[in-house]
PDB file of all heavy atoms in Angstrom:
ATOM      1  N   GLU A  26       7.690  27.647 -23.253  1.00 81.00           N
ATOM      2  CA  GLU A  26       6.750  28.672 -23.737  1.00 81.00           C
ATOM      3  C   GLU A  26       7.233  30.065 -23.345  1.00 81.00           C
ATOM      4  O   GLU A  26       7.188  30.990 -24.145  1.00 81.00           O
ATOM      5  CB  GLU A  26       5.347  28.399 -23.163  1.00 81.00           C
ATOM      6  CG  GLU A  26       4.297  29.400 -23.570  1.00 81.00           C
ATOM      7  CD  GLU A  26       3.900  29.313 -25.034  1.00 81.00           C
ATOM      8  OE1 GLU A  26       4.308  28.369 -25.730  1.00 81.00           O
ATOM      9  OE2 GLU A  26       3.178  30.217 -25.481  1.00 81.00           O
ATOM     10  N   ARG A  29      10.069  31.000 -25.607  1.00 84.00           N
ATOM     11  CA  ARG A  29       9.557  31.351 -26.933  1.00 84.00           C
ATOM     12  C   ARG A  29       8.945  32.743 -26.924  1.00 84.00           C
ATOM     13  O   ARG A  29       9.168  33.545 -27.827  1.00 84.00           O
ATOM     14  CB  ARG A  29       8.516  30.325 -27.389  1.00 84.00           C
ATOM     15  CG  ARG A  29       8.062  30.516 -28.840  1.00 84.00           C
ATOM     16  CD  ARG A  29       6.878  29.648 -29.186  1.00 84.00           C
ATOM     17  NE  ARG A  29       5.690  29.961 -28.435  1.00 84.00           N
ATOM     18  CZ  ARG A  29       4.902  31.018 -28.660  1.00 84.00           C
ATOM     19  NH1 ARG A  29       5.211  31.887 -29.582  1.00 84.00           N
ATOM     20  NH2 ARG A  29       3.821  31.218 -27.936  1.00 84.00           N
ATOM     21  N   LEU A  30       8.191  33.051 -25.872  1.00 83.00           N
ATOM     22  CA  LEU A  30       7.565  34.371 -25.773  1.00 83.00           C
ATOM     23  C   LEU A  30       8.613  35.473 -25.620  1.00 83.00           C
ATOM     24  O   LEU A  30       8.472  36.552 -26.193  1.00 83.00           O
ATOM     25  CB  LEU A  30       6.582  34.406 -24.597  1.00 83.00           C
ATOM     26  CG  LEU A  30       5.285  33.634 -24.805  1.00 83.00           C
ATOM     27  CD1 LEU A  30       4.492  33.589 -23.503  1.00 83.00           C
ATOM     28  CD2 LEU A  30       4.460  34.247 -25.913  1.00 83.00           C
ATOM     29  N   LYS A  31       9.671  35.202 -24.871  1.00 83.00           N
ATOM     30  CA  LYS A  31      10.739  36.194 -24.726  1.00 83.00           C
ATOM     31  C   LYS A  31      11.399  36.471 -26.071  1.00 83.00           C
ATOM     32  O   LYS A  31      11.710  37.621 -26.390  1.00 83.00           O
ATOM     33  CB  LYS A  31      11.778  35.722 -23.703  1.00 83.00           C
ATOM     34  CG  LYS A  31      11.311  35.846 -22.273  1.00 83.00           C
ATOM     35  CD  LYS A  31      12.382  35.379 -21.304  1.00 83.00           C
ATOM     36  CE  LYS A  31      11.914  35.514 -19.867  1.00 83.00           C
ATOM     37  NZ  LYS A  31      12.924  35.064 -18.909  1.00 83.00           N
ATOM     38  N   GLU A  33       9.970  36.130 -28.982  1.00 87.00           N
ATOM     39  CA  GLU A  33       8.987  36.863 -29.778  1.00 87.00           C
ATOM     40  C   GLU A  33       8.947  38.333 -29.369  1.00 87.00           C
ATOM     41  O   GLU A  33       8.876  39.220 -30.218  1.00 87.00           O
ATOM     42  CB  GLU A  33       7.609  36.217 -29.626  1.00 87.00           C
ATOM     43  CG  GLU A  33       6.586  36.735 -30.600  1.00 87.00           C
ATOM     44  CD  GLU A  33       5.284  35.951 -30.565  1.00 87.00           C
ATOM     45  OE1 GLU A  33       5.254  34.830 -30.033  1.00 87.00           O
ATOM     46  OE2 GLU A  33       4.302  36.477 -31.085  1.00 87.00           O
ATOM     47  N   ILE A  34       9.029  38.594 -28.077  1.00 85.00           N
ATOM     48  CA  ILE A  34       9.057  39.971 -27.590  1.00 85.00           C
ATOM     49  C   ILE A  34      10.281  40.692 -28.126  1.00 85.00           C
ATOM     50  O   ILE A  34      10.195  41.848 -28.568  1.00 85.00           O
ATOM     51  CB  ILE A  34       9.033  40.007 -26.042  1.00 85.00           C
ATOM     52  CG1 ILE A  34       7.643  39.644 -25.537  1.00 85.00           C
ATOM     53  CG2 ILE A  34       9.454  41.371 -25.515  1.00 85.00           C
ATOM     54  CD1 ILE A  34       7.570  39.421 -24.044  1.00 85.00           C
ATOM     55  N   SER A  35      11.409  40.019 -28.122  1.00 82.00           N
ATOM     56  CA  SER A  35      12.636  40.610 -28.633  1.00 82.00           C
ATOM     57  C   SER A  35      12.484  40.974 -30.112  1.00 82.00           C
ATOM     58  O   SER A  35      12.881  42.059 -30.541  1.00 82.00           O
ATOM     59  CB  SER A  35      13.789  39.640 -28.423  1.00 82.00           C
ATOM     60  OG  SER A  35      14.979  40.171 -28.934  1.00 82.00           O
ATOM     61  N   LEU A  37       9.662  41.558 -31.691  1.00 86.00           N
ATOM     62  CA  LEU A  37       8.699  42.656 -31.792  1.00 86.00           C
ATOM     63  C   LEU A  37       9.347  43.994 -31.444  1.00 86.00           C
ATOM     64  O   LEU A  37       9.073  45.007 -32.092  1.00 86.00           O
ATOM     65  CB  LEU A  37       7.496  42.400 -30.880  1.00 86.00           C
ATOM     66  CG  LEU A  37       6.534  41.317 -31.342  1.00 86.00           C
ATOM     67  CD1 LEU A  37       5.518  41.004 -30.246  1.00 86.00           C
ATOM     68  CD2 LEU A  37       5.835  41.721 -32.617  1.00 86.00           C
ATOM     69  N   LEU A  80       2.589  47.255 -33.903  1.00 87.00           N
ATOM     70  CA  LEU A  80       3.702  46.579 -33.230  1.00 87.00           C
ATOM     71  C   LEU A  80       3.747  46.932 -31.747  1.00 87.00           C
ATOM     72  O   LEU A  80       4.024  46.079 -30.907  1.00 87.00           O
ATOM     73  CB  LEU A  80       5.027  46.947 -33.899  1.00 87.00           C
ATOM     74  CG  LEU A  80       5.238  46.355 -35.291  1.00 87.00           C
ATOM     75  CD1 LEU A  80       6.449  46.985 -35.964  1.00 87.00           C
ATOM     76  CD2 LEU A  80       5.373  44.850 -35.225  1.00 87.00           C
ATOM     77  N   ARG A  81       3.464  48.184 -31.430  1.00 84.00           N
ATOM     78  CA  ARG A  81       3.449  48.605 -30.028  1.00 84.00           C
ATOM     79  C   ARG A  81       2.375  47.828 -29.260  1.00 84.00           C
ATOM     80  O   ARG A  81       2.603  47.369 -28.142  1.00 84.00           O
ATOM     81  CB  ARG A  81       3.188  50.111 -29.961  1.00 84.00           C
ATOM     82  CG  ARG A  81       3.824  50.762 -28.777  1.00 84.00           C
ATOM     83  CD  ARG A  81       3.662  52.273 -28.796  1.00 84.00           C
ATOM     84  NE  ARG A  81       4.931  52.863 -29.148  1.00 84.00           N
ATOM     85  CZ  ARG A  81       5.122  53.755 -30.093  1.00 84.00           C
ATOM     86  NH1 ARG A  81       4.124  54.192 -30.798  1.00 84.00           N
ATOM     87  NH2 ARG A  81       6.315  54.242 -30.339  1.00 84.00           N
ATOM     88  N   LEU A  82       1.211  47.673 -29.876  1.00 83.00           N
ATOM     89  CA  LEU A  82       0.129  46.927 -29.243  1.00 83.00           C
ATOM     90  C   LEU A  82       0.509  45.463 -29.060  1.00 83.00           C
ATOM     91  O   LEU A  82       0.284  44.879 -27.995  1.00 83.00           O
ATOM     92  CB  LEU A  82      -1.149  47.049 -30.082  1.00 83.00           C
ATOM     93  CG  LEU A  82      -2.372  46.307 -29.555  1.00 83.00           C
ATOM     94  CD1 LEU A  82      -2.762  46.830 -28.176  1.00 83.00           C
ATOM     95  CD2 LEU A  82      -3.518  46.435 -30.527  1.00 83.00           C
ATOM     96  N   LEU A  83       1.102  44.861 -30.091  1.00 87.00           N
ATOM     97  CA  LEU A  83       1.536  43.463 -29.975  1.00 87.00           C
ATOM     98  C   LEU A  83       2.563  43.293 -28.867  1.00 87.00           C
ATOM     99  O   LEU A  83       2.520  42.318 -28.104  1.00 87.00           O
ATOM    100  CB  LEU A  83       2.128  42.982 -31.303  1.00 87.00           C
ATOM    101  CG  LEU A  83       1.137  42.679 -32.415  1.00 87.00           C
ATOM    102  CD1 LEU A  83       1.868  42.411 -33.723  1.00 87.00           C
ATOM    103  CD2 LEU A  83       0.265  41.499 -32.041  1.00 87.00           C
ATOM    104  N   LEU A  84       3.477  44.240 -28.772  1.00 89.00           N
ATOM    105  CA  LEU A  84       4.495  44.183 -27.731  1.00 89.00           C
ATOM    106  C   LEU A  84       3.845  44.237 -26.347  1.00 89.00           C
ATOM    107  O   LEU A  84       4.179  43.440 -25.463  1.00 89.00           O
ATOM    108  CB  LEU A  84       5.487  45.332 -27.894  1.00 89.00           C
ATOM    109  CG  LEU A  84       6.544  45.461 -26.806  1.00 89.00           C
ATOM    110  CD1 LEU A  84       7.422  44.224 -26.750  1.00 89.00           C
ATOM    111  CD2 LEU A  84       7.399  46.694 -27.050  1.00 89.00           C
ATOM    112  N   LEU A  85       2.907  45.139 -26.169  1.00 85.00           N
ATOM    113  CA  LEU A  85       2.230  45.242 -24.877  1.00 85.00           C
ATOM    114  C   LEU A  85       1.470  43.963 -24.549  1.00 85.00           C
ATOM    115  O   LEU A  85       1.494  43.491 -23.413  1.00 85.00           O
ATOM    116  CB  LEU A  85       1.286  46.443 -24.871  1.00 85.00           C
ATOM    117  CG  LEU A  85       1.956  47.814 -24.891  1.00 85.00           C
ATOM    118  CD1 LEU A  85       0.912  48.917 -25.040  1.00 85.00           C
ATOM    119  CD2 LEU A  85       2.799  48.037 -23.655  1.00 85.00           C
ATOM    120  N   GLU A  86       0.812  43.393 -25.554  1.00 84.00           N
ATOM    121  CA  GLU A  86       0.083  42.148 -25.327  1.00 84.00           C
ATOM    122  C   GLU A  86       1.018  41.017 -24.925  1.00 84.00           C
ATOM    123  O   GLU A  86       0.723  40.246 -24.007  1.00 84.00           O
ATOM    124  CB  GLU A  86      -0.700  41.755 -26.584  1.00 84.00           C
ATOM    125  CG  GLU A  86      -1.874  42.650 -26.883  1.00 84.00           C
ATOM    126  CD  GLU A  86      -2.512  42.362 -28.233  1.00 84.00           C
ATOM    127  OE1 GLU A  86      -1.995  41.499 -28.980  1.00 84.00           O
ATOM    128  OE2 GLU A  86      -3.518  43.001 -28.528  1.00 84.00           O
ATOM    129  N   LYS A  87       2.157  40.927 -25.600  1.00 87.00           N
ATOM    130  CA  LYS A  87       3.103  39.862 -25.280  1.00 87.00           C
ATOM    131  C   LYS A  87       3.733  40.077 -23.910  1.00 87.00           C
ATOM    132  O   LYS A  87       3.979  39.124 -23.180  1.00 87.00           O
ATOM    133  CB  LYS A  87       4.197  39.757 -26.352  1.00 87.00           C
ATOM    134  CG  LYS A  87       3.687  39.242 -27.662  1.00 87.00           C
ATOM    135  CD  LYS A  87       3.098  37.861 -27.512  1.00 87.00           C
ATOM    136  CE  LYS A  87       2.489  37.370 -28.781  1.00 87.00           C
ATOM    137  NZ  LYS A  87       1.840  36.074 -28.639  1.00 87.00           N
ATOM    138  N   GLU A  88       4.012  41.323 -23.557  1.00 84.00           N
ATOM    139  CA  GLU A  88       4.555  41.586 -22.223  1.00 84.00           C
ATOM    140  C   GLU A  88       3.539  41.200 -21.155  1.00 84.00           C
ATOM    141  O   GLU A  88       3.905  40.608 -20.132  1.00 84.00           O
ATOM    142  CB  GLU A  88       4.942  43.058 -22.096  1.00 84.00           C
ATOM    143  CG  GLU A  88       6.216  43.400 -22.823  1.00 84.00           C
ATOM    144  CD  GLU A  88       6.585  44.872 -22.759  1.00 84.00           C
ATOM    145  OE1 GLU A  88       5.725  45.706 -22.424  1.00 84.00           O
ATOM    146  OE2 GLU A  88       7.734  45.181 -23.051  1.00 84.00           O
ATOM    147  N   ASP A  89       2.273  41.503 -21.401  1.00 82.00           N
ATOM    148  CA  ASP A  89       1.219  41.113 -20.456  1.00 82.00           C
ATOM    149  C   ASP A  89       1.133  39.595 -20.352  1.00 82.00           C
ATOM    150  O   ASP A  89       1.029  39.034 -19.253  1.00 82.00           O
ATOM    151  CB  ASP A  89      -0.134  41.673 -20.890  1.00 82.00           C
ATOM    152  CG  ASP A  89      -0.233  43.169 -20.682  1.00 82.00           C
ATOM    153  OD1 ASP A  89       0.630  43.740 -19.976  1.00 82.00           O
ATOM    154  OD2 ASP A  89      -1.177  43.769 -21.220  1.00 82.00           O
ATOM    155  N   GLU A  90       1.188  38.920 -21.481  1.00 83.00           N
ATOM    156  CA  GLU A  90       1.127  37.455 -21.483  1.00 83.00           C
ATOM    157  C   GLU A  90       2.324  36.870 -20.741  1.00 83.00           C
ATOM    158  O   GLU A  90       2.188  35.927 -19.962  1.00 83.00           O
ATOM    159  CB  GLU A  90       1.095  36.954 -22.925  1.00 83.00           C
ATOM    160  CG  GLU A  90       0.855  35.477 -23.053  1.00 83.00           C
ATOM    161  CD  GLU A  90       0.733  35.032 -24.509  1.00 83.00           C
ATOM    162  OE1 GLU A  90       0.752  35.882 -25.412  1.00 83.00           O
ATOM    163  OE2 GLU A  90       0.636  33.820 -24.729  1.00 83.00           O
ATOM    164  N   ASN A  91       3.491  37.451 -20.969  1.00 83.00           N
ATOM    165  CA  ASN A  91       4.706  36.992 -20.303  1.00 83.00           C
ATOM    166  C   ASN A  91       4.591  37.188 -18.787  1.00 83.00           C
ATOM    167  O   ASN A  91       4.959  36.314 -18.007  1.00 83.00           O
ATOM    168  CB  ASN A  91       5.918  37.745 -20.849  1.00 83.00           C
ATOM    169  CG  ASN A  91       7.212  37.093 -20.451  1.00 83.00           C
ATOM    170  OD1 ASN A  91       7.248  35.929 -20.116  1.00 83.00           O
ATOM    171  ND2 ASN A  91       8.276  37.861 -20.471  1.00 83.00           N
ATOM    172  N   LEU A  92       4.069  38.331 -18.373  1.00 80.00           N
ATOM    173  CA  LEU A  92       3.888  38.576 -16.943  1.00 80.00           C
ATOM    174  C   LEU A  92       2.902  37.582 -16.334  1.00 80.00           C
ATOM    175  O   LEU A  92       3.129  37.073 -15.233  1.00 80.00           O
ATOM    176  CB  LEU A  92       3.394  40.003 -16.708  1.00 80.00           C
ATOM    177  CG  LEU A  92       4.443  41.099 -16.867  1.00 80.00           C
ATOM    178  CD1 LEU A  92       3.786  42.469 -16.747  1.00 80.00           C
ATOM    179  CD2 LEU A  92       5.536  40.947 -15.837  1.00 80.00           C
ATOM    180  N   ARG A  93       1.833  37.301 -17.052  1.00 79.00           N
ATOM    181  CA  ARG A  93       0.853  36.334 -16.544  1.00 79.00           C
ATOM    182  C   ARG A  93       1.499  34.963 -16.375  1.00 79.00           C
ATOM    183  O   ARG A  93       1.279  34.289 -15.366  1.00 79.00           O
ATOM    184  CB  ARG A  93      -0.338  36.245 -17.480  1.00 79.00           C
ATOM    185  CG  ARG A  93      -1.363  37.345 -17.305  1.00 79.00           C
ATOM    186  CD  ARG A  93      -2.655  37.016 -18.013  1.00 79.00           C
ATOM    187  NE  ARG A  93      -2.459  36.709 -19.415  1.00 79.00           N
ATOM    188  CZ  ARG A  93      -2.566  37.572 -20.410  1.00 79.00           C
ATOM    189  NH1 ARG A  93      -2.876  38.818 -20.151  1.00 79.00           N
ATOM    190  NH2 ARG A  93      -2.373  37.209 -21.649  1.00 79.00           N
ATOM    191  N   LEU A  94       2.300  34.560 -17.376  1.00 79.00           N
ATOM    192  CA  LEU A  94       2.948  33.249 -17.277  1.00 79.00           C
ATOM    193  C   LEU A  94       3.962  33.226 -16.141  1.00 79.00           C
ATOM    194  O   LEU A  94       4.054  32.242 -15.409  1.00 79.00           O
ATOM    195  CB  LEU A  94       3.632  32.906 -18.594  1.00 79.00           C
ATOM    196  CG  LEU A  94       2.728  32.362 -19.679  1.00 79.00           C
ATOM    197  CD1 LEU A  94       3.500  32.191 -20.974  1.00 79.00           C
ATOM    198  CD2 LEU A  94       2.119  31.039 -19.263  1.00 79.00           C
TER     199      LEU A  94
END
Side-chain angles (χ1 to χ4, degrees):
E26 179 70 9
R29 187 190 64 76
L30 287 172
K31 285 181 180 180
E33 191 172 343
I34 287 170
S35 179
L37 287 171
L80 289 169
R81 210 175 254 129
L82 179 61
L83 285 172
L84 175 62
L85 291 174
E86 290 172 356
K87 291 300 176 184
E88 285 177 343
D89 288 347
E90 187 176 356
N91 194 21
L92 285 174
R93 279 194 305 266
L94 279 174

